[in-house]
Amino acid sequence: MLDINLTGSMRVCAAARDLLRESKGTIVNTASMLSFFGGGLVPAYSASKGGIAQLTKSLAIAYAPDGIRVNAVAPGWIATPLTKALQSDKVRSKAIWDRTPLNRWGTPEDMAGGVVFLSSPMSQFITGTVLPIDGGYLVT
């Protein structure tokens, strides 16, 4: 998982570099809150997302001379079909809510604002950032 995730992400970024150079485009990778701390139940996932965070920072340096900004979003606990079982587990879901200051699961729509911001001219002096979108989970 780790090698495929990182290698695939690197290949996509490299393949898009010429077009992004021409358009002064941006890259927004998808990391995770597990980019910031380990996950004992999902060590391979945590390692791959930590790698995405470092890839983002490294590409931000490498691509800056071309006018390409590279950032990432780090979703927290987002209500999707993939997290349905976890949402249904009353004990685990309560623990997530109790640690999340906004006291809810995030939605895919919650992610959109961060991605749009990092892709827009409003963030033209931001590169190499991993933006947590997690309802405050990381600050507790």
Side-chain angles (χ1 to χ4, degrees):
M1 178 178 172
L2 176 64
D3 184 50
I4 294 170
N5 189 1
L6 290 176
T7 302
S9 294
M10 181 63 201
R11 286 183 179 161
V12 168
C13 291
R17 188 173 185 176
D18 289 340
L19 291 174
L20 291 168
R21 181 184 303 117
E22 291 173 21
S23 65
K24 302 297 183 219
T26 64
I27 295 170
V28 180
N29 290 318
T30 304
S32 167
M33 67 182 157
L34 292 175
S35 301
F36 299 98
F37 56 85
L41 298 176
V42 288
Y45 178 83
S46 298
S48 70
K49 292 306 184 172
I52 293 295
Q54 293 305 316
L55 176 65
T56 297
K57 294 171 187 179
S58 295
L59 290 180
I61 296 165
Y63 289 14
D66 294 330
I68 301 167
R69 294 181 299 106
V70 184
N71 293 291
V73 291
W77 296 104
I78 305 298
T80 68
L82 289 174
T83 60
K84 191 90 171 140
L86 190 56
Q87 294 170 62
S88 299
D89 182 327
K90 292 186 188 326
V91 172
R92 299 262 332 267
S93 190
K94 181 181 181 329
I96 290 167
W97 276 50
D98 288 348
R99 182 174 167 175
T100 305
L102 291 181
N103 202 27
R104 67 176 177 86
W105 282 77
T107 66
E109 293 79 14
D110 290 325
M111 299 302 303
V115 173
V116 169
F117 170 69
L118 290 173
S119 301
S120 78
M122 292 174 61
S123 63
Q124 64 187 342
F125 199 58
I126 299 173
T127 195
T129 295
V130 180
L131 175 66
I133 303 175
D134 65 354
Y137 189 90
L138 289 175
V139 299
T140 58

